[in-house]
Amino acid sequence: MSKAQSFYDAHVSTLHKATEAVRSREFWTPYPEVPSGRIYGESANAEGQSAFKDRLDKSFELEMPALEGEVGEEVSPYGFELGIRYGRANADALIGRMQASLKAWRDAGPDARAGICLEILDRLNKRSFEIGYATMHTTGQGFAMAFQAGGPHAQDRGLEAVALAWEEMKRIPCSAGWVKPQGKNPALAQEKQYTVVPQGISLVVACSTFPTWNTYPGLFASLVTGNPVIVKPHPGSVLPVAITVEVAQAVLREAGFDPCLVSMVADTEAEPATKKLAQHPAIKLIDFTGSSTFGAWLENFCSNAQVFTEKAGVNTLIIDSVKSLKAVTRNLAFSLSLYSGQMCTTPQNIYIPRSGIDTDEGHLSFDQVASALADAITGFLGKPGVAVNVLGALQNAATLERIEACSELGRVVLASEKVDHPDFPNARMCTPLLVSVDAADKAVYSQERFGPISFLIATDSTDHSIELAREVIAEKGAITLGVYSTSEAVLDKTHELSLDVKVALSCNLAGGVFVNQSAAFSDFHATGGNPAANACLTDSSFVSRRFVVVQNRHDVTPPGGE
């Protein structure tokens, strides 16, 4: 039995459960999200932290051809340099090696490739603590979130992509006998063979804030469909990607394939490599998470490849009325505080009628609603240990400058304040900023202001809120839309809005589910239907465009013929 077959046999049950979960959209995960010693082993946390520390101030070795020196400029948002150096491969040499290895990977078939992908994910899961610390100190996420988003939740998204792609490939038979009756004449008969053929080399461009969660869907969707994968990490968040590639290369090597089928090309802010790589004629697939400007460039100027992008958007909340003001403001306090608003799903624009809203505490004015939300955030972050763990640190110093600039754009309802971390005195941390503006100030709120920045927008009515949301999302896009209302008519109108502008809708969230969270196997992340993204994580089109089917047919003697 081949090693690839043994991997498939070991994980086929998980693969089938994953395909079932994708069909049912019910909750399921094989990768526990709680960083508990009872689940991962009592020594797992200490070992993971030690493994992370052992990486610092050293060269990170991956298999790659034709090295052209080393690069490395990661600085933890918690205030220290990582000092890790990464080999820089010659892109042409790497692509040439991948092209030479593609045939063997193609011919391995869907089952073998799926087994190898699931083995990679299984090993990544066992290293979730190490990846958690690597994610924490490159993105700024608090450890609990870094563990979940960098580890199990990212692994869920990778497995989801494998399951969808495997099922799409398995729909296609390997061969078929074809017989067409011809009346009194002999039937026409052919034997046909069908082969899943990958598009070619895949380039996955990772972002600085979620280097695994946003990367794994494209990486594993391309790999399982037979495409070699180059991951190009953000210069500030390389380590989680490097660990991923290290694990993938080890599994591929054990299975008898070229480890460079999954490779990494590191670069620097001063000498970026993405544009040249993206336009290389051998690159046939590109996955990108990042700015709208660069995402649009990839879409417009990389005709050599199919391009899947998640860009910037203006996420929106419409508040019409609430059943429980405390429950709603408590829910939103967490949503706006989590990872200091550095999520592609965090609400930015919060539309509230200037005449106020009905609540369980009576009719409240716009200013009273704004104050209630500000008080909820202050109270939530004032609890011992909450701020440092929930807020995390700002990945990029430019976000501090953006917060300061946005505080001049309207009336400050809640000022952003510096937060001190007890263990990392140089950590870059601050609380959310809430700014009140009028609906007429459209230039202020009709663009993404990345970070812990939200605008409370005074509108003429809820219908006005809906129309403004429609205009901004249609032009700039959004990944999330939320509504709070006790009126079925308003909920229906907002549902129609979500369908018109093609954005996922969350209604009246007031418990332990938050608008900026997305669950693999159940939630579709982005729709691909508005300017924020041209693809969805993860639907069938995200995986099926990564391969083609090539047939081979020949005539045979029909049944009963001579």
Side-chain angles (χ1 to χ4, degrees), residues 305-329:
Q306 297 199 51
V307 181
F308 305 82
T309 61
E310 180 189 312
K311 300 169 288 187
V314 181
N315 297 316
T316 298
L317 286 176
I318 295 170
I319 302 181
D320 167 75
S321 54
V322 298
K323 186 177 180 180
S324 171
L325 182 66
K326 287 184 178 178
V328 169
T329 55

Side-chain angles (χ1 to χ4, degrees), residues 351-413:
Y351 297 95
I352 306 168
R354 68 179 81 255
S355 59
I357 66 171
D358 290 333
T359 78
D360 58 320
E361 300 179 15
H363 188 86
L364 300 183
S365 68
F366 176 92
D367 288 343
Q368 287 175 313
V369 176
S371 294
L373 180 56
D375 290 345
I377 293 172
T378 301
F380 173 64
L381 296 178
K383 298 173 183 176
V386 169
V388 295
N389 291 310
V390 174
L391 290 172
L394 299 178
Q395 203 281 331
N396 195 312
T399 305
L400 285 173
E401 299 172 6
R402 190 176 305 113
I403 294 168
E404 184 176 353
C406 287
S407 67
E408 303 295 325
L409 297 178
R411 180 176 67 86
V412 174
V413 175

Side-chain angles (χ1 to χ4, degrees), residues 380-459:
F380 173 64
L381 296 178
K383 298 173 183 176
V386 169
V388 295
N389 291 310
V390 174
L391 290 172
L394 299 178
Q395 203 281 331
N396 195 312
T399 305
L400 285 173
E401 299 172 6
R402 190 176 305 113
I403 294 168
E404 184 176 353
C406 287
S407 67
E408 303 295 325
L409 297 178
R411 180 176 67 86
V412 174
V413 175
L414 180 65
S416 178
E417 303 288 348
K418 186 180 184 301
V419 174
D420 293 323
H421 196 293
D423 299 322
F424 301 102
N426 296 320
R428 191 164 49 229
M429 301 181 67
C430 65
T431 61
L433 170 71
L434 295 183
V435 178
S436 171
V437 299
D438 190 82
D441 302 323
K442 198 172 179 182
V444 170
Y445 61 81
S446 62
Q447 59 181 293
E448 185 194 44
R449 311 277 188 172
F450 186 75
I453 302 162
S454 293
F455 297 104
L456 307 180
I457 304 163
T459 66

